[in-house]
Amino acid sequence: MKRNLAPISYKENTEALAKFAKSLAHPTRIAILKHLENQSCCFTGDLVGVFPLAQSTISQHLKELKNAGLIQGELKPPKIKYCINQENWNMAKSLFQQFFD
């Protein structure tokens, strides 16, 4: 079988869907999003009180969600306030709906 080195051309938004899916690949991240969906915003320390995990673990999950664009953080020294990025959250929901239809 001969390998083709040409780049793969994906359909529109396929890479965005994959990025969102990868960020949701851990149950704690899904739980964090569910929690944030019911809050206007919260701080990392608030999440430590909700989930039985170390602050460093929560921070790592928040970093993954932020890198995917599903949440956004606002620096309120010495803390960071997190909330859902509504634009990307709506895009992710739409892309998943299209994928499953």
Side-chain angles (χ1 to χ4, degrees):
M1 178 182 220
K2 187 175 180 181
R3 290 183 54 185
N4 184 345
L5 299 178
I8 297 173
S9 177
Y10 294 108
K11 290 184 180 179
E12 183 179 353
N13 293 321
T14 301
E15 290 180 8
L17 178 62
K19 180 175 72 170
F20 293 141
K22 182 178 177 184
S23 73
L24 296 173
H26 195 285
T28 299
R29 292 186 206 134
I30 293 171
I32 289 171
L33 283 171
K34 286 288 190 186
H35 181 77
L36 287 175
E37 192 175 36
N38 296 319
Q39 308 286 320
S40 59
C41 291
C42 71
F43 295 99
T44 307
D46 298 333
L47 294 171
V48 172
V50 173
F51 300 101
L53 299 169
Q55 183 167 344
S56 61
T57 303
I58 296 284
S59 293
Q60 194 61 34
H61 288 303
L62 290 169
K63 179 181 175 186
E64 290 295 324
L65 292 169
K66 188 174 177 189
N67 287 342
L70 291 174
I71 64 171
Q72 54 195 20
E74 182 182 338
L75 189 60
K76 297 273 188 179
K79 301 177 180 181
I80 300 175
K81 181 171 75 169
Y82 289 98
C83 56
I84 296 228
N85 180 323
Q86 288 299 324
E87 181 179 342
N88 288 344
W89 181 241
N90 291 332
M91 180 195 307
K93 289 193 289 189
S94 175
L95 291 173
F96 277 109
Q97 185 65 46
Q98 291 172 26
F99 178 74
F100 288 115
D101 281 345

